[in-house]
Amino acid sequence: MQNPTTYLHGILQQPFPLFNFKYVSTYEIEKVAKSLKIKESHGYDEIPTKVIKQSVSYISLPLAHICKLMLRSGTFPTRLKFAEIKPIYKKGERMDISNYRPISLLPSFSKIFEKIIFQRLMYYFDHNKILANNQFGFRNNTSTELASYHLINKILEALNHKLFVGGIFCDLKKAFDCVDHEILLKKNV
């Protein structure tokens, strides 16, 4: 397995090509909107993905135009960043606040724009081989099962070669509870 520092030194020998966002078509807007899960939940705008999926053929042209302006200016509309935070029950005693986790409900339109930006970034990263092969999160054709298999395989290879194997694991079950929420909620000026 390649050491991450060696990987970065190897890949960063030359500058990456300039990143350009390609044109956004109405077809792409429709395809992304139709790929969203049908949900009744919604952000502060009170428009669930279900409504957007049903009306996307009528609104894809203005959405493509907004997305094009957004990509050209490099600005994500502030109103699409607003989220409603709602507590969702996890398990245990319902009266204990630590048994709830917060979820952020964003406007459905932001999900469309985020997905289009994500697709362009992933294409750029894949095309320029920026991400290490051991990066399993948020990538197509990868999973936690594949990451686990890869880890176990490396451990078994090391043991077969009579090498020592060690591991450090962190339980992040309540990681969000440990974050200073005042810092998260402060507006950057």
Side-chain angles (χ1 to χ4, degrees), residues 61-175:
L61 186 61
L63 288 179
H65 179 71
I66 292 167
C67 194
K68 183 174 103 179
L69 293 174
M70 195 177 63
L71 294 174
R72 186 182 297 156
S73 69
T75 305
F76 196 85
T78 303
R79 299 288 298 186
L80 293 179
K81 297 178 194 176
F82 293 164
E84 275 191 18
I85 311 297
K86 296 203 174 187
I88 300 295
Y89 173 73
K90 293 185 288 188
K91 63 181 178 180
E93 177 60 41
R94 286 194 175 269
M95 296 305 289
D96 183 356
I97 197 165
S98 68
N99 291 328
Y100 288 80
R101 69 176 173 84
I103 62 162
S104 298
L105 296 173
L106 291 164
S108 300
F109 291 114
S110 72
K111 294 173 187 171
I112 294 170
F113 297 140
E114 287 172 6
K115 204 163 192 176
I116 286 172
I117 293 168
F118 175 78
Q119 290 171 348
R120 281 161 173 67
L121 288 172
M122 286 308 298
Y123 174 80
Y124 181 81
F125 292 158
D126 289 342
H127 185 73
N128 292 292
K129 297 177 179 35
I130 293 173
L131 297 177
N133 291 334
N134 294 331
Q135 173 63 49
F136 291 95
F138 66 81
R139 295 176 81 179
N140 286 336
N141 304 317
T142 64
S143 63
T144 52
E145 290 86 3
L146 190 57
S148 298
Y149 170 79
H150 185 73
L151 174 65
I152 291 168
N153 193 44
K154 290 295 180 185
I155 291 170
L156 292 174
E157 280 179 17
L159 292 173
N160 285 341
H161 289 95
K162 310 251 189 268
L163 298 172
F164 289 105
V165 176
I168 299 175
F169 300 92
C170 299
D171 180 4
L172 301 176
K173 184 169 47 175
K174 293 195 177 192

Side-chain angles (χ1 to χ4, degrees), residues 20-57:
N20 288 317
F21 283 112
K22 70 177 183 124
Y23 173 76
V24 179
S25 69
T26 55
Y27 171 76
E28 185 178 13
I29 293 284
E30 290 179 26
K31 186 176 173 188
V32 167
K34 289 176 182 174
S35 75
L36 297 174
K37 293 179 183 172
I38 295 178
K39 291 186 176 183
E40 293 291 335
S41 61
H42 51 76
Y44 76 91
D45 62 356
E46 299 183 0
I47 303 171
T49 56
K50 180 179 180 180
V51 171
I52 291 177
K53 288 174 77 96
Q54 292 170 343
S55 61
V56 71
S57 59

